[in-house]
Amino acid sequence: MKTRHLNCMRLLTHNLLCGPKGGYPLRLKVTELEELEAEFEADFVRRLIAKLEWSGLLSALEDLKQQGFYADLQLPSTAPPLDCTDDAVLKALHKVVNEIKVKEGTLECPVTHTIFPIADGIPKMIYEEGDTA
């Protein structure tokens, strides 16, 4: 039986979040990561391609690389086709969206510069007018 990781912010979750005034993508600063093991299913990953905001995903990966994480992990500069058969691309995408868990860190809105903490894998997205760093 596999362990479910309910309290975790994966990059898939990050891809869905925006700031209080629509700021996107949120800048990701990580103090603790955990790598999960998730079963690779090519069809599942292919279905995700259409749902992802590709530029936001690349931005999150670049944020991680600038902090010294996953320097060798590469994704194409544009989203692969929905019928992608390139296993290397699909496996890299699977790793990015399913296996990287942010345990501790922050998210910063590019519009308001509000800082949202990530604690124990959960982003705290509470905003009050006037909040900044």
Side-chain angles (χ1 to χ4, degrees):
M1 178 190 264
K2 290 190 178 207
T3 303
R4 296 192 65 192
H5 296 269
L6 299 177
N7 288 347
C8 65
M9 194 194 86
R10 294 184 173 106
L11 295 192
L12 178 58
T13 304
H14 173 271
N15 196 257
L16 301 171
L17 299 174
C18 67
K21 298 193 178 188
Y24 185 86
L26 299 176
R27 297 299 314 254
L28 178 61
K29 294 186 180 153
V30 175
T31 53
E32 186 179 354
L33 279 178
E34 180 180 347
E35 196 164 306
L36 306 174
E37 197 172 306
E39 185 176 337
F40 172 69
E41 294 181 28
D43 287 336
F44 174 75
V45 176
R46 273 193 282 280
R47 286 192 304 272
L48 277 179
I49 293 169
K51 295 173 177 30
L52 293 170
E53 176 57 50
W54 200 257
S55 64
L57 190 64
L58 292 177
S59 175
L61 184 56
E62 185 58 31
D63 286 346
L64 291 177
K65 288 180 177 189
Q66 289 178 4
Q67 296 168 68
F69 301 104
Y70 301 103
D72 296 333
L73 189 54
Q74 299 296 320
L75 289 176
S77 61
T78 59
L82 301 180
D83 61 351
C84 180
T85 57
D86 186 334
D87 262 4
V89 169
L90 294 173
K91 285 180 179 179
L93 179 55
H94 165 79
K95 181 172 195 64
V96 170
V97 297
N98 291 318
E99 295 188 344
I100 298 173
K101 173 186 173 183
V102 179
K103 289 184 74 173
E104 304 287 333
T106 60
L107 299 167
E108 180 181 352
C109 176
V111 174
T112 65
H113 303 288
T114 304
I115 303 291
F116 301 100
I118 303 166
D120 201 23
I122 302 171
K124 312 285 192 248
M125 300 296 294
I126 298 171
Y127 173 76
E128 294 183 23
E129 197 64 43
D131 280 355
T132 58

